[in-house]
């Protein structure tokens, strides 16, 4: 706060100077006092100056509606919404979210620091405060080719940015436990700032060690027992309700008035249709209250607790000197934002961002899909044995099975066999234009014809393609190259449905509603190709992630995750 | 934490390296989870490494006793205990207090930055962590002569010290509200650090303004209503139970599980006999629990809440990576410390600090009582009117009355009149050896003979003396000069009881027990002189404080506090 600004706030608070705006007759949800009380809120220069009795020329009479601090999402990958930051803001701000702490892990794996800076740049001039955590695990493993590699030396200058709050989820907990200097170096770089954890199932002595190293939160708890152990050891518990991982109802029994201060609400990954249908943090607050949680605790978890954890001293509460980020709603037990203020300005009303509030940044971003033309034999697999290692997809899960099956061989080549649901899978390196292609086989998708492909493939986001024949697979990759990234379903050489994701091959430049429609059409197309999985593109996106068991394919080859090493396609 | 230390903690936590000490079978008071659970606590290099199941060669079996984080006093003037920092530590550490946040306001008014540095120096090598807040109001007013003056420029370098946490109680709230640049400059210097408030009775728009300026706490609340308003506006509420100001029982009804996180327990000013008889923060915790407060909330208020407010990330809880500052006790509902650990070492047991734990610093401190020899007529008051302005002392209060009484005149001089309980009062400037003496008259002490004097006289701590005759008053001041500060009762020219306070004229160099005995003897002596007040030295100490109504005497003259100006001794 500049000196003159602070003096103006003092004068507005004292009633010596007129407020820019007074919200009259608010039922203030006071997260400090843990109570609800009537008051006017006087706003000046994007801050709250006074809470009490105020008048001004510019007034909005809330007529006794509730006024709460704007919601804060403590951990979100905006990339998972598949839209740009401005469009993400357009989707979540009308829901009452005014601040998110984003981990740009996905775009950083594609574009490195350029990707992180792109998120920061496109966050400007929008009605959503987007803070960033410095990605801690780029690349996620040494078994794949990512678009970048971020060391402690890369992260340190990033952490000096006032919009960068700390170190993002430290997934590499073995690196922490074994005192890997490169890993501890990143924690050192962020010392004094929050260091987020990611340690599903870690417990006992190893959990103590992880906390002793400086890791301060976890959003991967799935049971009350796991969460209680982490809470007791001092970790902040981020209760997650994403699109895939949904832990809210399982973890709510953990929360008591005595420990709620250490709990936050986060979304992690929310897909377009869930953002549209359910909402964002407001959905978690509603669900928690509907499940019987004290509304005050639920709102504290969605506001003050996150502000305190991240050191955002001017957010998370309605009080003099805090940012006027505010949500208006009528029913505490079925909370739906009617009006949303950010920095003292009305930015959304009745579920819509007001006109002229969104200003998409004209930020140039280099194309991230760098693949040289593929030859017709790019996916050819010479038969080299009797027993083929096949990835077994499991519906609704990201773990896979290791299968050993006889190959179908045609002209000395192992080929897809739709009769037995053994499809060909390929990962095409897309960052360096190396021309590297790896191939394998996969069962469980049920595809009868055509091919599906995606430039969203965790965590390195190379292009992954699955098909009933090589020609359609090649056409699918070509379409992704043409779109500069995206999702596609191909039949007989032609795309029958696409979701263009030109931003890093991860995010659309279209509104959320458009992307949701495109995704619906894509899933319908995949079903027409014979796909039996509920969301084949979600399953596809995790087939390249070599930290989840059991058998995965990266651009560098087939990985037996249980042994953490490459294995040949044919056994023996 | 050094890199190698952190790695050692990780290895101890994992069980790969042996802990320095394991506390076995502790009933851990877990201020994060809000529950109590059995565990071992592994300690290495003064930190907690792991909480779980641990073994080591060095073990202490707590046999199911409670283990809580060491208590933190969020606001204390150590000077009020009248002992040095090491002796204060000897008194409070066995009570379970391992950290205090001290406001060296009194010694700073006497010795300026030298006084603050003296507190910091003498805090070293002791079993008590003493953090300091930079004094914000030295001198307290322009109506008196203090020993120093601290501007924003003086405070700024102090704030860079890691043991200086923020800005101490900003008593000058008019200066804040009127945007006095010198006052706002101090707040600016401490931006980003906690800024303590002191605003008894401030409410409404002015309170909003005070908070908007950046003030973050208050310890002057006397009613639930006052505290609730401050809490709602975002202030941390420091619930004070001192020796004079006792607010705990009045404020406890404020505390709910939803807002307790914003409440701390503080002592502000505790006199030697109360520290000995009642205790320190442990007394507040016991009282709060006895009054029905959930023990978990009471202990959180005495530990984690203070640590969070002051940004002490490594204190206030039992968890890996935190300092091993710990209290052992047997009964949660009648909490008495049996063992106290600081930085992982046992420092007190069964009410006593262990031998060799206290290392009083041999820190030189210049004499602070600088008074040239007083002439026999130093306190002479020529009669100059018919109506004398007389200060009316009120038993047990620090406010006074403005009285107008006819003087007793002898040989043209106004003199003390013990018949009517009108005694002579004088303030002798003691910092600059200016020889300045101001005189007035006071009713309410009941002194029949002799004189009493003190070098403790808020806030500038000039020497204040009250007597039945000028000769004894002069002898009293001379005795204070001889002692380099202290309290004295004089009869017929000879001291009959003294409390030497050679450290800045505020603190003894003797143990607390000795000072308490000396004080008892002094009060007995004062009674023998005819004093009717319960604690005449306490009342005396506030007769020079020109911010408390209605009539006060500083070294510069008689102050009508309601008009904030000097007035002559005689009216008209």
């Amino acid at each position: 706060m500049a000196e003159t600004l602070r003096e103006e706030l003092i004068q507005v608070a004292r009633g010596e100077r007129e407020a820019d705006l007074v919200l009259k007759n608010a039922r203030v949800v006071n997260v400090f006092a843990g109570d609800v009380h009537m008051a006017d809120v006087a706003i000046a220069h994007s801050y709250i100056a006074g809470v009490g009795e105020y008048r001004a020329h510019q007034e909005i009479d809330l007529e006794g509606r509730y006024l709460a601090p704007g919601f804060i999402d403590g951990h979100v990958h905006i990339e998972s919404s598949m839209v740009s930051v401005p469009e993400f803001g357009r989707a979540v701000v009308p829901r009452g979210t005014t601040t998110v702490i984003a981990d740009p892990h996905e775009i950083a794996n594609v574009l490195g620091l350029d990707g992180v800076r792109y998120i920061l740049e496109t966050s400007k001039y929008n009605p959503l405060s987007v803070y960033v955590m410095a990605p801690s695990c780029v690349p996620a493993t040494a078994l794949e080719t990512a678009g970048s590699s971020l060391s402690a030396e890369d992260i340190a200058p990033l952490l000096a940015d006032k919009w960068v709050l700390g170190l993002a989820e430290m997934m590499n907990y073995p690196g922490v436990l074994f005192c890997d200097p490169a890993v501890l170096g990143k924690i050192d770089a962020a010392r004094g700032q929050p260091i987020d954890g990611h340690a599903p199932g870690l417990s006992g002595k190893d959990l103590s060690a992880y906390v002793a190293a400086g890791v301060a939160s976890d959003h991967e708890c799935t049971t009350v027992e796991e969460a209680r152990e982490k809470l007791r050891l001092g970790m902040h518990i981020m209760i997650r309700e994403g699109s895939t991982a949904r832990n809210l109802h399982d973890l709510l029994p953990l929360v008591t008035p005595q420990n709620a201060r250490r709990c936050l609400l986060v979304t992690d990954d929310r897909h377009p249709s869930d953002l549209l249908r359910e909402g964002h943090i407001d959905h978690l607050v509603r669900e928690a209250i509907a499940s019987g949680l004290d509304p005050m605790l639920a709102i504290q978890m969605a506001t003050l607790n996150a502000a305190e954890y991240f050191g955002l001293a001017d957010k998370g509460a309605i009080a003099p000197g805090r940012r006027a980020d505010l949500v208006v709603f009528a029913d505490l037990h079925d909370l739906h934002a009617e009006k949303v203020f950010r920095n003292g300005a009305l930015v959304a009303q009745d579920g819509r961002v007001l006109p002229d509030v969104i200003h998409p940044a004209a930020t140039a971003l280099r194309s991230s899909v760098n693949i040289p033309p593929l030859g017709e034999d790019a996916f050819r697999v010479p038969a080299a044995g009797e027993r083929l290692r096949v990835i077994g997809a499991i519906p609704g899960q990201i773990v896979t099975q290791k299968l050993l099956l006889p190959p179908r061989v045609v002209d000395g080549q192992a080929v897809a066999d739709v009769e037995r649901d053994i499809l060909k899978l390929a990962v095409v390196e897309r960052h360096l234009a190396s021309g590297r292609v790896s191939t394998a086989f996969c069962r469980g998708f049920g595809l009868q014809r055509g091919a599906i492909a995606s430039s969203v493939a965790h965590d390195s986001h190379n292009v992954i393609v699955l098909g009933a024949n090589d020609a359609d697979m090649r056409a699918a990759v070509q379409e992704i190259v043409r779109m500069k990234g995206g999702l596609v379903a191909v039949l007989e050489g032609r795309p029958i449905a696409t979701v263009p994701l030109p931003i890093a091959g991860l995010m659309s430049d279209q509104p959320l509603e458009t992307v949701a429609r495109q995704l619906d059409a894509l899933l319908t197309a995949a079903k027409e190709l014979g796909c039996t999985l509920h969301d084949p593109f979600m399953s596809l996106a995790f087939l390249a992630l070599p930290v989840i068991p059991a058998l995965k394919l990266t651009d560098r080859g087939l990985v037996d995750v249980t042994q953490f090493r490459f294995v040949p396609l044919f056994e023996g």
Side-chain angles (χ1 to χ4, degrees), chain A residues 389-392 400-404 550-551 559-563:
Chain A
R389 285 190 170 87
V390 174
I391 299 170
T400 63
Q401 291 175 299
K402 281 190 282 189
L403 305 176
L404 275 175
L551 197 59
V559 180
D560 184 330
V561 179
T562 56
Q563 301 178 43

Side-chain angles (χ1 to χ4, degrees), chain A residues 132-443:
Chain A
V132 157
M133 300 292 273
S136 67
C137 302
V138 176
T141 72
L143 298 171
E144 55 197 315
T145 304
S148 183
S149 168
L150 298 184
S151 67
E153 288 72 15
D154 296 311
I155 286 171
L158 202 56
L159 286 161
D161 187 314
K162 74 166 210 167
W163 290 94
V164 179
L165 298 181
L167 192 66
E169 49 180 328
M170 175 46 79
M171 291 179 279
N172 187 1
Y173 59 79
V176 174
L177 302 184
F178 296 130
C179 296
D180 179 334
V183 172
L184 295 188
K186 291 176 185 177
I187 290 178
D188 281 340
R191 192 153 297 282
Q193 298 177 273
I195 295 164
D196 281 343
H198 167 119
L202 198 68
S203 74
K205 290 183 161 61
D206 281 349
L207 186 59
S208 269
Y210 190 57
V211 174
V215 181
S217 73
D218 187 82
H219 57 266
E220 290 290 335
C221 299
T222 55
T223 68
V224 166
E225 293 64 38
E226 179 182 2
R228 180 170 292 128
E229 186 184 2
K230 288 175 173 170
L231 181 65
R232 282 177 172 171
L233 286 177
M235 302 187 98
H236 281 75
I237 304 302
M238 296 178 167
I239 298 180
R240 170 180 60 185
E241 186 77 356
S243 281
T244 312
R246 293 177 175 262
N247 311 115
L248 179 71
H249 291 280
D250 289 338
L251 296 184
L252 277 179
L254 172 77
V255 182
T256 69
Q258 285 77 12
N259 68 31
R261 64 200 280 189
R262 310 288 294 182
C263 301
L264 285 67
L265 297 177
V266 308
T267 62
D268 202 357
D269 300 286
R270 292 224 118 200
H271 303 154
S273 61
D274 290 331
L275 284 172
L276 285 172
R277 204 180 66 242
E278 297 179 335
H280 191 232
I281 293 294
D282 61 322
H283 171 67
L284 280 70
V285 172
R286 264 192 311 274
E287 288 285 301
I289 294 172
S291 298
L293 187 68
D294 173 0
M296 182 55 64
L297 297 183
I299 292 174
Q300 285 174 330
M301 287 161 69
T303 59
L304 181 63
N305 300 6
E308 288 192 346
Y309 172 71
F310 288 105
L312 299 173
D314 65 351
K315 294 194 183 270
I318 298 176
R322 301 236 171 189
R323 293 269 179 186
D325 294 354
L326 302 162
V327 195
V328 176
F329 52 93
D331 186 345
L332 193 56
H333 286 84
D334 187 25
L335 186 163
H336 289 274
E338 294 180 7
K339 288 184 167 65
V340 181
F341 296 85
R342 193 247 184 164
N343 282 351
L346 182 67
V347 290
Q349 190 156 332
D350 301 326
R352 301 214 155 270
V353 165
L354 297 190
D356 301 326
V357 165
I358 302 271
H359 300 277
T363 304
L365 193 65
R366 65 182 163 83
S367 168
S368 70
V369 180
N370 302 299
I371 297 176
L374 297 178
E376 288 185 8
D377 58 353
F379 305 125
R380 189 173 290 182
V381 178
E386 297 299 308
R387 283 152 57 90
L388 187 62
R389 285 190 170 87
V390 174
I391 299 170
I394 305 172
Q397 296 200 33
I398 62 174
V399 296
T400 63
Q401 291 175 299
K402 281 190 282 189
L403 305 176
L404 275 175
L405 300 170
R408 178 179 172 223
V409 179
V410 174
D411 295 338
Q413 310 295 327
V415 297
D417 182 357
V418 296
E419 302 290 313
R420 291 190 294 151
D421 186 23
I422 298 174
L423 302 166
K424 193 178 273 183
L425 181 71
V427 173
V428 181
E429 191 282 313
R430 66 119 154 168
H431 304 294
L432 312 175
S434 65
R436 183 158 53 244
V437 175
S438 67
T439 46
F441 291 85
C442 179
R443 198 170 79 171

Side-chain angles (χ1 to χ4, degrees), chain A residues 41 73 79 82 95 103 139 157 166-167 175 189 221 226 288 307 320 330 354 396 416 485 504 507 519 525 532 560:
Chain A
V41 176
D73 186 345
E79 300 96 319
M82 292 188 168
R95 300 296 201 150
D103 173 8
L167 192 66
C221 299
E226 179 182 2
L354 297 190
M507 296 143 87
L519 276 168
T532 52
D560 184 330

